Amino acid sequence: MTENMNFFSGSDKYVVTDQLMNAVNVSIALKKPLLIKGEPGTGKTMLAEAISDALDMNLIIWSIKSTTKAQDGLYVYDTVQRLYDSQFGEGDVNDIAKYIKLGKLGEAFTSDKQVVLLIDEIDKADLEFPNDLLWELDKMEFYINETKETIKTKHRPIVIITSNAEKELPDAFLRRCIFHYIDFPDQEKMEEIIKVHFGDIDKKLVKNALESFYKIRGMKEIQKKPSTSELLDWIQALMISGVNINDLYEEMPFLGVLLKKNQDMDTFNDIKTKGYSYRGW
């Protein structure tokens, strides 16, 4: 398969909407990074995995932290190792190239085959981080000062960038991306996701679990609303335990799988002690 023939239509393990599928394919066709936003648990990271599986490409993941710098993704010059070798006579210290360690972006650029590059949670880094990558993502090349060498991409990677929208990204960076916001799945789409993960699952369990799940998400007082991954964990816990699924509305077993904050647990219990029925939310 050549780069021009790549077309993403979803995978066996990932339910994709038409809008998201189109966004992926437009970004591939235009050779621009795809910036994916959405609340945690909407499958942003899993999208890159699905693309790599569907297109039979390796996936390179650059997980961004608050301390991450753009340079980290390009290369690192290991001066400490070179100093050690010079002191203890280990190898030729004049060969600077062997002390250059490529970062995730460098690995993607130098790969012998086209890869999917995931820059995960870019909004965790400082405000200058996206701007520091403008040239590299535009031109698909970078310069190594120590060796006076320009690294150019062999096969332009498919770049997926995720953001939890914790901070705004610079306009100059946004202009260079294709953008898509993943809405939280509605009940019908969530049922498809459940079937992908659990196959032939009891329909009544799915119905009752989904009804309870969306009612909890609909409570305005809940600070951290349960996500897709937490729903899947909850359903698995229900299946393993063999609890009476007819009592889900009244008992809400394993609530701690869904709610992760004391305040949210207190809110839920407060509603319960006031005698409100889950059916009445």
Side-chain angles (χ1 to χ4, degrees), residues 6-9 20-31 34 55:
N6 290 330
F7 183 84
F8 176 66
S9 58
L20 178 55
M21 181 180 67
N22 290 338
V24 172
N25 289 315
V26 166
S27 73
I28 293 174
L30 298 183
K31 298 181 179 180
L34 175 61
L55 301 183

Side-chain angles (χ1 to χ4, degrees), residues 74-75 102 105-106 109 136 140-144 149-151:
L74 305 179
Y75 73 94
L102 292 177
L105 206 62
F109 283 13
E136 289 76 15
M140 285 288 153
E141 65 180 47
F142 62 90
Y143 184 70
I144 299 179
E149 178 186 11
T150 298
I151 301 296

Side-chain angles (χ1 to χ4, degrees), residues 194-207:
I194 292 171
K195 289 180 180 177
V196 165
H197 285 268
F198 295 107
D200 188 19
I201 186 175
D202 184 276
K203 293 182 179 180
K204 189 172 184 180
L205 169 59
V206 174
K207 179 179 181 296

Side-chain angles (χ1 to χ4, degrees), residues 200-237:
D200 188 19
I201 186 175
D202 184 276
K203 293 182 179 180
K204 189 172 184 180
L205 169 59
V206 174
K207 179 179 181 296
N208 290 354
L210 283 176
E211 190 170 337
S212 300
F213 173 76
Y214 279 99
K215 285 176 178 177
I216 291 177
R217 277 190 59 88
M219 296 174 64
K220 296 180 180 179
E221 299 85 353
I222 296 296
Q223 297 180 22
K224 184 187 180 305
K225 298 182 185 298
S227 67
T228 303
S229 60
E230 287 156 339
L231 171 62
L232 297 176
D233 287 343
W234 188 50
I235 289 176
Q236 187 169 14

Side-chain angles (χ1 to χ4, degrees), residues 8-168:
F8 176 66
S9 58
S11 73
D12 294 338
K13 298 180 180 179
Y14 191 88
V15 177
V16 62
T17 63
D18 290 341
Q19 294 84 353
L20 178 55
M21 181 180 67
N22 290 338
V24 172
N25 289 315
V26 166
S27 73
I28 293 174
L30 298 183
K31 298 181 179 180
K32 289 179 175 289
L34 175 61
L35 174 61
I36 297 290
K37 285 189 178 183
E39 68 176 86
T42 49
K44 299 186 298 297
T45 300
M46 289 181 63
L47 172 63
E49 298 173 1
I51 295 172
S52 68
D53 288 342
L55 301 183
D56 193 25
M57 296 180 182
N58 288 334
L59 174 63
I60 295 177
I61 301 176
W62 186 11
S63 297
I64 307 303
K65 302 177 181 179
S66 60
T67 56
T68 302
K69 303 298 180 185
Q71 180 65 38
D72 300 337
L74 305 179
Y75 73 94
V76 175
Y77 173 39
D78 195 346
T79 55
V80 174
Q81 184 63 51
R82 189 182 182 205
L83 177 60
Y84 178 89
D85 290 347
S86 67
Q87 291 178 337
F88 296 97
E90 298 289 338
D92 181 11
V93 295
N94 292 319
D95 182 8
I96 298 178
K98 74 177 184 178
Y99 299 102
I100 300 297
K101 309 297 181 184
L102 292 177
K104 296 299 183 180
L105 206 62
E107 290 179 21
F109 283 13
T110 57
S111 173
D112 290 329
K113 294 182 179 180
Q114 188 179 24
V115 300
V116 177
L117 171 65
L118 171 62
I119 304 178
D120 202 21
E121 298 189 325
I122 193 171
D123 51 327
K124 281 189 174 180
D126 63 42
L127 292 174
E128 291 304 314
F129 178 85
N131 282 334
D132 290 342
L133 287 177
L134 291 181
W135 173 270
E136 289 76 15
L137 292 179
D138 246 359
K139 304 299 182 181
M140 285 288 153
E141 65 180 47
F142 62 90
Y143 184 70
I144 299 179
N145 289 311
E146 289 77 9
T147 61
K148 312 302 180 187
E149 178 186 11
T150 298
I151 301 296
K152 296 185 177 182
T153 180
K154 295 181 179 179
H155 302 278
R156 190 181 188 97
I158 296 173
V159 181
I160 307 297
I161 303 172
T162 69
S163 170
N164 288 325
E166 292 183 3
K167 62 170 69 82
E168 288 298 322

